[in-house]
Amino acid sequence: MGKIIEVTGLKKSYGEVRAVRGIDFYVDAGSLFAFLGVNGAGKSTTIDILSTMLAQDEGHVTIGGHALGRDDQKIREIIGIVYQDSLLDALLTVQENLSIRGSFYGLAKEDLRKAVSRAAKIVNITDILGRPYGKLSGGQRRRADIARALINTPKILFLDEPTTGLDPESRESLWQTLREIQKDTGMTVFFTTHYMEEASSANFITMIHRGQIVARGTPAELKDTYSSDFLRIVPKNPEEMAAHLNAANIVFTTEAGVFAIAIGTTTEAIPIIEAQKANIASFEVLMGTLDDVFINITNAQDKGVGK
Amino acid sequence: MLTFTIRNLKIFFRDRAAVLFSLLAIFIAIAIYAFFTRNLMAANNTGFDGISDLADLWAMSGIISIMPVTTTIGAFAIMIHDRHNKIFKDFYTSPISRASLTGGYIASAIVIGFALTTFGLVITAIIIAALGIGLPLISFLMAIGVILLTIFAAAAIMFFVASLINSQRAFSSVATLIGTFVGFLAGVYMPVGMFPETVRTIIAIFPISHAASLLRQIFMNDAISHIFEGAPTHIIEGYRLDMGVIYEIGGTQTNAAVSVAVLAATAVVFFVLSMMNISRKRT
């Protein structure tokens, strides 16, 4: 799999605020790539730069083999962007919106008509093409936004926090559509999010915090590296449990009578449970989540900055 | 650029309130004249037969002359709206040139201004006809030419204003201010002769006043020579100056050629200024 986006040493400041402080990353062609970070981490600035909207202060970016800043027009032809805000015209119908924005790509009349119906079909909005965009529900709008981004059959689809403000059902159905698009067309999907559950469906996650890349890997790799599974036990006799764990050199913490033991894999819990079987009132084994990864990394970074 | 122009036109005309507000200025101007200025001018009647007809033609010319300004403001509101709501992000990241976008905004402003001002011309012509004043067809054709030229000037001025402002609220405040003052500045609500010397000079150098002057020449000249037949030249000239058919700047009287030149120069100068402003802003 080739690299469709390559970013090296990217920097951008707004006056005193250093939004992006020299980041390097790449995106494999055809992957579902998550760019993860809290609000204000530098996600939108990065997307604005990659989408040719904003000029970088420093750094080199290639998108689909074209150098950003030199071949912007060529880049614009092969990308599609779904912005955080709704940017279609509220007073016009979905059909009009798609035709007008589609005309920006220099498509001839017949090709444009086909592109509109193709994009509408992919995101399943054929039945609402005649309705004014402003009268649609949040979920329908998002679908129309995605159809607009797909109008030029882009090689890369950027989505900047695409599910913000959507109800859980619309959110899930949107992700299903996105995964289908990626699978069926082999399109590279680059999305930003601060939702862990969304990032976990990506092939690869790059995490940005305070304008710097702080972690990267597949969701499984990040979980392995930055989070651990936990065994939580409520013992009948806490002293006996503590004595056993200390004797076995097992690190633990207690809180409100609950013993928490970090374990590498869930199966490591078995011998501990076996040994204290008679002393256990209840127990649970928890798998590490991407939320832990996120919290662990951002906390560590914030403490580092605090020092 | 054509599709983008059509997009702007669709957005404008689909917003009924915006269209109505663009026309509001002329309805107000007509009302001010009908209920206030007309009576005032009748009281000052100099005793020439049919002079009240001249006043009606004066009002019609003035009202049409400010319409290019009040209607193109509404058209550029779309550009401000796109900028304010970040819709331009979608345009700037598409392979359409920025010149096409700018051209689309200006072209739609010209079309909107022309359509609404022509509509205003028809409305006022109907009123004038209802008052029993006949006008030759050639006058209307010439008036359309003046309207077109004025729209270029007004669109350039409004484009310049729009290139300075980013916020929607600021723009609508400025639009209200301009809409209110343009009538005074062009000597539309009150005849120029009622103002003191300094104000008269300000009116005379304000570009849109020259649209009013040209329209007054088109619609009033025949009637003036007819009504003032045999009257001494200084009386006729005095009336023409008082009513803003022509102006006096530093002792020199303006004529049609000067007024056309002022409007054309305004269009060019403000267009160049706006372009400089826009390219300066690009990041």
Side-chain angles (χ1 to χ4, degrees):
Chain A
M1 224 169 6
K3 295 170 185 170
I4 196 156
I5 301 177
E6 278 190 274
V7 176
T8 41
L10 188 67
K11 283 187 189 171
K12 178 73 190 175
S13 298
Y14 301 102
E16 291 290 291
V17 184
R18 290 156 67 204
V20 175
R21 311 177 172 205
I23 59 175
D24 307 280
F25 67 91
Y26 64 87
V27 178
D28 282 324
S31 65
L32 185 59
F33 180 92
F35 200 51
L36 180 69
V38 294
N39 292 329
K43 301 190 298 284
S44 292
T45 302
T46 307
I47 274 217
D48 280 350
I49 293 171
L50 297 187
S51 64
T52 74
M53 175 69 218
L54 198 65
Q56 73 266 41
D57 296 338
E58 275 177 54
H60 189 254
V61 179
T62 58
I63 294 175
H66 306 295
L68 186 76
R70 207 183 56 212
D71 297 326
D72 285 2
Q73 209 64 355
K74 287 207 176 94
I75 293 173
R76 287 171 189 149
E77 279 164 15
I78 59 157
I79 60 173
I81 309 155
V82 178
Y83 293 95
Q84 229 165 318
D85 310 293
S86 297
L87 300 185
L88 294 182
D89 297 316
L91 289 168
L92 305 185
T93 66
V94 177
Q95 170 105 39
E96 287 170 326
N97 267 302
L98 295 179
S99 305
I100 289 164
R101 309 286 166 111
S103 75
F104 294 171
Y105 298 87
L107 294 172
K109 211 173 176 187
E110 186 56 21
D111 292 339
L112 180 60
R113 200 190 53 75
K114 277 185 196 151
V116 170
S117 69
R118 197 190 110 269
K121 215 171 275 168
I122 293 174
V123 296
N124 209 2
I125 53 164
T126 315
D127 54 328
I128 54 166
L129 276 176
R131 290 182 53 196
Y133 178 72
K135 297 228 162 96
L136 303 180
S137 73
Q140 289 171 325
R141 273 189 208 195
R142 267 292 91 140
R143 285 179 178 277
D145 295 342
I146 295 172
R148 184 265 171 267
L150 294 175
I151 201 87
N152 56 327
T153 341
K155 288 190 177 137
I156 307 165
L157 179 64
F158 288 100
L159 301 109
D160 194 2
E161 301 196 5
T163 56
T164 302
L166 292 190
D167 61 72
E169 203 181 324
S170 315
R171 190 183 294 173
E172 184 42 45
S173 100
L174 193 70
W175 275 109
Q176 205 176 332
T177 308
L178 286 174
R179 279 190 291 262
E180 276 167 20
I181 293 171
Q182 188 237 351
K183 218 175 72 193
D184 296 347
T185 62
M187 197 179 289
T188 308
V189 178
F190 180 119
F191 68 97
T192 71
T193 182
H194 53 246
Y195 292 120
M196 276 304 140
E197 66 207 73
E198 287 181 355
S200 64
S201 63
N203 302 122
F204 198 84
I205 300 175
T206 291
M207 199 174 148
I208 184 169
H209 193 59
R210 293 175 183 275
Q212 285 172 314
I213 304 287
V214 288
R216 67 186 99 214
T218 64
E221 283 166 3
L222 290 182
K223 264 189 245 180
D224 283 350
T225 319
Y226 297 100
S227 78
S228 49
D229 297 345
F230 272 92
L231 169 63
R232 289 157 61 88
I233 303 173
V234 180
K236 291 173 187 158
N237 182 341
E239 283 90 32
E240 190 192 323
M241 178 61 76
H244 168 76
L245 293 176
N246 283 331
N249 268 332
I250 297 169
V251 183
F252 65 96
T253 58
T254 56
E255 205 184 314
V258 182
F259 284 65
I261 301 147
I263 48 182
T265 61
T266 48
T267 50
E268 285 176 27
I270 298 169
I272 304 171
I273 296 164
E274 278 290 338
Q276 286 286 305
K277 208 152 67 181
N279 189 23
I280 292 175
S282 71
F283 77 92
E284 58 179 342
V285 181
L286 299 171
M287 301 244 303
T289 64
L290 272 177
D291 277 319
D292 302 333
V293 174
F294 196 61
I295 292 161
N296 286 340
I297 293 174
T298 52
N299 281 351
Q301 287 287 321
D302 290 347
K303 273 182 199 148
V305 170
K307 278 173 198 166
Chain B
M1 184 176 133
L2 183 66
T3 318
F4 188 65
T5 307
I6 293 170
R7 173 240 180 204
N8 296 338
L9 293 177
K10 277 184 173 171
I11 291 178
F12 182 83
F13 285 107
R14 223 163 270 184
D15 186 356
R16 297 285 146 78
V19 178
L20 197 70
F21 276 112
S22 290
L23 291 172
L24 201 60
I26 85 144
F27 293 131
I28 292 173
I30 292 175
I32 289 178
Y33 174 73
F35 296 115
F36 178 67
T37 325
R38 195 167 195 249
N39 299 334
L40 200 75
M41 288 169 79
N44 287 339
N45 200 328
T46 40
F48 286 94
D49 243 6
I51 202 144
S52 70
D53 285 359
L54 268 183
D56 292 340
L57 290 168
W58 166 84
M60 172 191 181
S61 312
I63 289 165
I64 298 165
S65 74
I66 57 170
M67 282 196 72
V69 176
T70 56
T71 53
T72 47
I73 294 177
F76 281 112
I78 298 171
M79 178 171 135
I80 300 291
H81 176 268
D82 289 346
R83 205 185 293 154
H84 186 89
N85 295 294
K86 297 181 184 163
I87 292 175
F88 70 93
K89 270 178 119 173
D90 191 56
F91 303 154
Y92 283 4
T93 52
S94 304
I96 178 175
S97 73
R98 296 198 184 187
S100 299
L101 293 171
T102 309
Y105 286 122
I106 296 174
S108 56
I110 289 171
V111 173
I112 289 167
F114 189 69
L116 295 185
T117 308
T118 308
F119 174 75
L121 176 68
V122 170
I123 296 279
T124 47
I126 290 171
I127 297 174
I128 287 290
L131 291 170
I133 307 168
L135 284 170
L137 183 68
I138 184 76
S139 298
F140 287 104
L141 296 178
M142 284 166 77
I144 285 177
V146 172
I147 287 171
L148 208 53
L149 179 62
T150 312
I151 282 169
F152 286 126
I157 296 173
M158 293 320 302
F159 181 47
F160 177 68
V161 172
S163 73
L164 291 172
I165 297 171
N166 281 322
S167 132
Q168 229 168 328
R169 267 173 64 182
F171 187 74
S172 65
S173 307
V174 170
T176 311
L177 268 176
I178 292 175
T180 314
F181 277 104
V182 69
F184 285 106
L185 277 176
V188 170
Y189 300 137
M190 298 282 209
V192 188
M194 287 191 172
F195 292 107
E197 174 81 41
T198 341
V199 181
R200 284 207 297 259
T201 309
I202 293 173
I203 290 174
I205 56 176
F206 180 61
I208 303 302
S209 308
H210 290 273
S213 160
L214 286 169
L215 290 169
R216 286 171 194 143
Q217 287 170 37
I218 292 169
F219 289 124
M220 295 168 73
N221 268 358
D222 281 356
I224 288 176
S225 38
H226 180 70
I227 289 163
F228 287 94
E229 207 177 348
T233 320
H234 77 269
I235 299 245
I236 300 176
E237 284 308 292
Y239 181 80
R240 279 157 62 87
L241 279 170
D242 278 351
M243 299 301 273
V245 179
I246 50 169
Y247 303 111
E248 205 172 64
I249 307 172
T252 320
Q253 288 183 358
T254 62
N255 56 33
V258 169
S259 292
V260 168
V262 167
L263 288 171
T266 304
V268 172
V269 168
F270 277 93
F271 183 71
V272 169
L273 284 177
S274 316
M275 280 307 180
M276 281 163 59
N277 207 20
I278 279 187
S279 43
R280 182 175 59 83
K281 253 196 217 167
R282 194 185 291 181
T283 43

